[in-house]
Amino acid sequence: MELKNKIILAAGVLLIVSASAAGVIYAYWDKAVPLAGMAINFVRTLTAPSGTTTTEEAAASTSAEVQMNASTAASLPAVSADDWPSYNKTLTSERNSPLNQLTTANIGRLEVLCTYDTRQYTAFEPGLIVVNGAMIGTTEHDIFSLDPATCRENWRTHEEYIPASALAVNRGAAYLDGLLFRGTEDGRVLAYDFKTGKRVWETTIANPKLGESTPAAPIAWNGLVFIGNAGGDNKGVKGRMYALEAKTGKIVWEFYLVPKTEGDLTRGPQGATPLELTTWRNASGIPITGGATWTSYTLDPTTGELYIPGGNPAPDFASGPREGGNLYSGSVVVLDAKSGAYKNHFKLVPKDWHDWDVSTAPALIRTRGGKRLLSVAPKDGHLYGFDLATNALLYRTPVTRVENVDATFAVGKLVHFCPGTVGGAEWNGPAYDPATNLILIGEVDWCATVTLQKDEEIQKVTPGQPWSAMATHNPYDTYGKPDSFGQWAGWVYAVDADTGVWKWRLKSNYPILSGMTPTAGGLVFFGDMGGNFYALNAATGQRLWGQKIGGAENWRRHRRGSHHLHC
């Protein structure tokens, strides 16, 4: 009897402790998620396999057919070779470096020069910029300046605030006329002195109480800073784009990327738009939601046109409550950069029920064949090429695994599809190598399973809360249940810019979320999610150099490890 009482007492104590722990985790969910993620991923990395790659050239192609043509590089906008002053180097987003000190002949001697500890244990996703010999990076709360030759810190500025969501991310800063600009996870845009890191101004463009944030990397041009709000997966949040005066932070114009309706806040002069409610035939009680931006943007300095990638509509997986084309979600929207007036749009995902954001900044390319091309890669697993002379779609090339994408989602039905909600191209878009006329894109090969909530469950979600319509009790599966950890891969596709035909492709045993960086030395650099950094022959895709340098994030809404920059 005494033993029985002890067992009952121990069980009671364990139940109370477990309930208390669950209560604490629930109360501090945003803090608990990263901590739990770090613990889980630390264990996983202990047995993580080494990085492997295999390259395949197209059957009808030989390396001789991909001719190196250095003169083509002259068609790119002029930017200092030593600088990388914007998220994708140029405002037109080709991501091509004219540096040629590293070549296919000497890349084997590449080694890490120095390392900088970011002191972060959450996601590290920014596109670093380099201006006047300083490398600028951001974290969720910090912006810092480094000497890239030594990794010595010039300055670091910390911003203390309460984030709007558990996704502790920032994708980088912009530079213009001695100022740096970045967004925050509580909906602000901040400006800093380039030399000192002292904050100059702040402007609020989003409502963190609704889960809105501004993690995108802004771009800056002609006295203006361009950035939009994220959070379009939360009920009632509408994507918007802004131009701010670079010197003061004053809102110059605001453009709603989905229809603006009565009661929506007006923060600045409205850009002229033809958008109306006819493309959103929402059911009663279903607010227009989605179309937000969260990566970066592209601008043509010659025409003054701003290209904005628009996110998915919501509820993400239930299209029934939002019949119609849902413009301008799932589109690249083109605005007049000075006035914010609508000029054009390219609808890439006609009816999205897979959470396939058109998330990445498109590239504006002058091809070897003379075409002025819009190249864009959404999360749907395809590379698109549009002829900007006619706006005609030239090609739609699959660049990762695409399976079961026409199956409809339903209550009580499990639907498995590829690419999943964390598949395809995430926040880094196409790069262009003018020497080979190849467009390069890194992709995630990872599938997911979705089953729908009932209509009444979809309707009762509180405004500002995640609104995916996924039937699950596991918060990690709110946006679909990815295949098991490790059942993934990554791809690099090299596609002829004029024809859309792939010339070579590389498969990695880890997802590839990094940007592609082709160089004038005949190389392509990229990293994978296993912490591996690679250099390829740009003409053939053959791996010439690779090293595990660490610092990769583990993609699935929880993160691992302290991140380091390697120069």
Side-chain angles (χ1 to χ4, degrees):
M1 182 62 69
E2 184 179 354
L3 177 61
K4 182 179 179 181
N5 289 338
K6 289 181 177 179
I7 293 174
I8 293 174
L9 178 62
V13 170
L14 182 61
L15 181 62
I16 292 171
V17 171
S18 299
S20 299
V24 170
I25 290 173
Y26 182 80
Y28 296 94
W29 180 252
D30 286 355
K31 294 182 179 180
V33 168
L35 291 174
M38 280 192 294
I40 293 169
N41 291 319
F42 176 76
V43 174
R44 286 172 170 168
T45 55
L46 295 177
T47 57
S50 301
T52 61
T53 64
T54 55
T55 299
E56 174 187 6
E57 291 191 68
S61 170
T62 66
S63 58
E65 290 178 316
V66 182
Q67 297 292 336
M68 303 293 287
N69 184 358
S71 64
T72 314
S75 65
L76 294 180
V79 171
S80 168
D82 294 332
D83 280 357
W84 191 281
S86 192
Y87 182 83
N88 283 313
K89 186 173 175 69
T90 61
L91 293 173
T92 43
S93 296
E94 298 97 336
R95 290 194 59 85
N96 181 271
S97 171
L99 297 176
N100 59 11
Q101 293 94 328
L102 289 173
T103 68
T104 56
N106 65 18
I107 186 62
R109 303 204 302 271
L110 184 66
E111 60 184 41
V112 174
L113 177 66
C114 62
T115 300
Y116 175 72
D117 186 351
T118 65
R119 308 192 290 277
Q120 298 299 298
Y121 293 88
T122 54
F124 186 69
E125 301 176 4
L128 304 176
I129 63 174
V130 178
V131 180
N132 298 334
M135 177 180 286
I136 308 298
T138 59
T139 67
E140 181 185 22
H141 291 276
D142 293 5
I143 182 169
F144 55 84
S145 171
L146 307 177
D147 178 347
T150 63
C151 295
R152 180 184 61 83
E153 189 175 282
N154 299 321
W155 53 259
R156 181 167 179 146
T157 301
H158 178 76
E159 300 286 351
E160 192 59 43
Y161 61 86
I162 299 174
S165 75
L167 292 177
V169 297
N170 187 268
R171 295 195 171 84
Y175 170 83
L176 185 69
D177 297 335
L179 293 176
L180 296 166
F181 313 93
R182 63 157 295 172
T184 66
E185 278 290 296
D186 67 345
R188 293 174 296 156
V189 183
L190 308 178
Y192 302 86
D193 182 270
F194 172 76
K195 293 182 178 179
T196 66
K198 181 180 179 181
R199 199 209 293 175
V200 177
W201 55 253
E202 69 171 76
T203 299
T204 296
I205 64 169
N207 184 358
K209 293 181 179 179
L210 293 178
E212 295 183 357
S213 59
T214 53
I219 61 172
W221 170 78
N222 201 30
L224 299 174
V225 180
F226 304 97
I227 190 169
N229 71 299
D233 294 308
N234 291 354
K235 187 175 184 179
V237 171
K238 296 182 177 183
R240 306 176 302 277
M241 193 67 196
Y242 295 87
L244 309 180
E245 191 175 82
K247 291 183 178 180
T248 66
K250 175 186 175 182
I251 295 176
V252 176
W253 55 255
E254 174 185 60
F255 186 92
Y256 270 75
L257 293 162
V258 296
K260 186 176 186 287
T261 54
E262 186 177 354
D264 289 336
L265 183 63
T266 297
R267 290 181 171 82
Q270 298 295 294
T273 177
L275 191 57
E276 53 186 28
L277 292 172
T278 54
T279 67
W280 289 77
R281 299 194 299 274
N282 283 24
S284 177
I286 302 293
I288 293 174
T289 302
T293 72
W294 47 277
T295 59
S296 193
Y297 315 96
T298 296
L299 188 144
D300 187 338
T302 303
T303 64
E305 292 175 329
L306 176 67
Y307 290 76
I308 305 157
N312 59 279
D316 298 48
F317 305 129
S319 61
R322 47 175 175 82
E323 291 293 340
N326 301 157
L327 295 178
Y328 294 117
S329 71
S331 305
V332 173
V333 181
V334 187
L335 304 180
D336 179 90
K338 294 181 180 179
S339 68
Y342 168 89
K343 299 195 72 172
N344 194 13
H345 78 276
F346 299 85
K347 181 68 168 169
L348 274 72
V349 186
K351 187 66 178 178
D352 185 12
W353 68 92
H354 298 89
D355 190 17
W356 281 341
D357 305 65
V358 178
S359 50
T360 65
L364 303 179
I365 294 166
R366 177 69 68 177
T367 71
R368 184 177 292 174
K371 294 185 180 72
R372 184 168 169 260
L373 188 77
L374 174 71
S375 178
V376 60
K379 285 170 54 181
D380 72 349
H382 292 81
L383 177 71
Y384 293 74
F386 290 90
D387 186 341
L388 288 175
T390 63
N391 292 334
L393 177 64
L394 300 177
Y395 50 81
R396 179 176 181 262
T397 303
V399 284
T400 188
R401 181 167 37 143
V402 179
E403 293 178 359
N404 201 33
V405 297
D406 295 324
T408 57
F409 297 165
V411 176
K413 176 185 176 183
L414 296 173
V415 178
H416 184 261
F417 62 98
C418 316
T421 50
V422 290
E426 289 291 328
W427 58 87
N428 282 299
Y432 178 60
D433 180 20
T436 59
N437 198 42
L438 294 177
I439 297 172
L440 302 136
I441 183 67
E443 295 274 322
V444 178
D445 185 340
W446 200 4
C447 308
T449 300
V450 164
T451 183
L452 284 187
Q453 291 178 320
K454 298 177 180 177
D455 288 345
E456 56 268 27
E457 293 174 317
I458 295 173
Q459 291 239 17
K460 73 179 184 181
V461 172
T462 304
Q465 295 301 307
W467 205 31
S468 70
M470 169 71 175
T472 180
H473 295 292
N474 184 346
Y476 284 123
D477 295 338
T478 298
Y479 293 98
K481 180 177 176 57
D483 286 357
S484 298
F485 184 86
Q487 293 185 6
W488 56 22
W491 292 93
V492 176
Y493 265 76
V495 174
D496 185 278
D498 283 296
T499 66
V501 176
W502 67 270
K503 296 299 183 181
W504 58 260
R505 61 186 180 184
L506 175 144
K507 188 174 184 180
S508 164
N509 63 329
Y510 285 101
I512 297 171
L513 289 93
S514 78
M516 300 289 116
T517 305
T519 76
L523 302 169
V524 177
F525 292 94
F526 74 96
D528 69 18
M529 293 303 296
N532 303 292
F533 185 54
Y534 297 112
L536 311 178
N537 183 311
T540 67
Q542 293 302 311
R543 188 172 113 187
L544 303 177
W545 182 90
Q547 183 176 326
K548 184 176 179 64
I549 60 175
E553 60 170 315
N554 187 1
W555 177 246
R556 198 188 159 191
R557 300 222 175 8
H558 46 254
R559 320 293 185 179
R560 75 165 174 88
S562 177
H563 296 284
H564 295 75
L565 296 180
H566 302 276
C567 296

